[in-house]
Amino acid sequence: MITTRGNPERRKEFLKICFDVLCENGLENTSLKMLSEACGVTNGNLIYYFGTKENLVAEATAYCMEKVEDDFMKKAPTDFEEIEQFLEEMPYLTARLHGKKYRLMYQVYTSPKYIGQGKAFFKGVNIRYKKYAEYLAENFRISSDYLLGMINTFVRACVHYALFEDGEYLNSQLQAIRISLHAVRKLSVERSVNV
């Protein structure tokens, strides 16, 4: 159960600090004492704010990964001409800036303790990506359902690369996205000319 006690700004500061400590040390190697020391408070202070270490871990992961997602979406293309540069740059930027964060997120959300929180987090991700696909559909003149599939493929390819630096998998996904987007774009343009 997530609590909402304490100063909201201080709470956010604790979430960011604790998430950074968890990213550096891993889920199983991070003690409440390590977290409280990094925050400059006692264990009791963190318990007051979050109730349990498990609540703190779940809340820090959701809060900070939503910030990572916001950063990703701010860089996302808004028109078709920006896509290629985005495909070329974003996987490597994501790995460099957020690789440890994604590794921690998967440690947390695949743990039986946190499955429920993981489902809730990814439900929110799906809603945000669907809205983005609907926004792009107008600019690209392509179905939002199709774009949602491409967005999900791209994000998963970026995350996979951030986790494992698997260039072969990344390149195969990027090539599939490029071929598919160009084919659909061509069809869309042909339809609009024939109307």
Side-chain angles (χ1 to χ4, degrees):
M1 177 180 150
I2 304 283
T3 65
T4 56
R5 292 185 288 226
N7 178 305
E9 289 308 309
R10 190 133 192 237
R11 179 184 194 81
K12 289 177 190 174
E13 182 182 332
F14 289 157
L15 292 173
K16 288 184 233 173
I17 292 168
C18 289
F19 190 71
D20 288 342
V21 171
L22 286 157
C23 286
E24 284 302 315
N25 298 291
L27 181 59
E28 298 303 322
N29 296 325
T30 304
S31 67
L32 184 60
K33 183 178 182 195
M34 291 168 71
L35 297 173
S36 62
E37 285 175 356
C39 291
V41 297
T42 65
N43 288 1
N45 281 91
L46 287 183
I47 296 301
Y48 169 76
Y49 271 83
F50 301 101
T52 66
K53 178 186 172 194
E54 287 75 20
N55 288 347
L56 172 57
V57 167
E59 195 172 337
T61 302
Y63 177 78
C64 291
M65 289 310 295
E66 192 168 325
K67 299 294 177 205
V68 167
E69 183 184 282
D70 289 345
D71 183 49
F72 192 96
M73 295 306 284
K74 284 177 191 169
K75 293 173 177 59
T78 56
D79 64 51
F80 201 81
E81 287 68 38
E82 297 173 350
I83 291 175
E84 187 56 40
Q85 182 176 355
F86 186 70
L87 293 176
E88 284 294 319
E89 296 173 0
M90 202 60 187
Y92 307 102
L93 183 65
T94 299
R96 190 172 69 250
L97 297 178
H98 306 302
K100 287 182 181 181
K101 297 170 188 173
Y102 281 112
R103 280 189 280 283
L104 177 68
M105 180 187 74
Y106 278 93
Q107 275 186 322
V108 171
Y109 290 151
T110 58
S111 169
K113 287 183 199 176
Y114 303 103
I115 292 286
Q117 290 94 335
K119 286 180 181 180
F121 176 78
F122 284 106
K123 184 176 183 180
V125 168
N126 291 338
I127 290 167
R128 289 186 290 277
Y129 287 177
K130 184 174 183 181
K131 286 181 184 175
Y132 179 59
E134 289 167 352
Y135 163 76
L136 288 181
E138 291 181 34
N139 292 350
F140 290 15
R141 295 188 332 228
I142 297 173
S143 155
S144 64
D145 290 336
Y146 169 80
L147 287 170
L148 181 59
M150 292 295 99
I151 291 166
N152 283 326
T153 299
F154 181 67
V155 170
R156 282 171 178 77
C158 287
V159 171
H160 184 86
Y161 184 77
L163 291 170
F164 306 111
E165 295 183 6
D166 183 350
E168 188 175 330
Y169 176 83
L170 174 65
N171 290 329
S172 72
Q173 297 304 299
L174 293 179
Q175 190 61 14
I177 291 168
R178 285 182 181 107
I179 291 167
S180 182
L181 279 174
H182 287 291
V184 169
R185 175 75 170 181
K186 184 179 176 186
L187 266 172
S188 177
V189 169
E190 288 172 1
R191 280 189 201 142
S192 66
V193 169
N194 292 331
V195 171

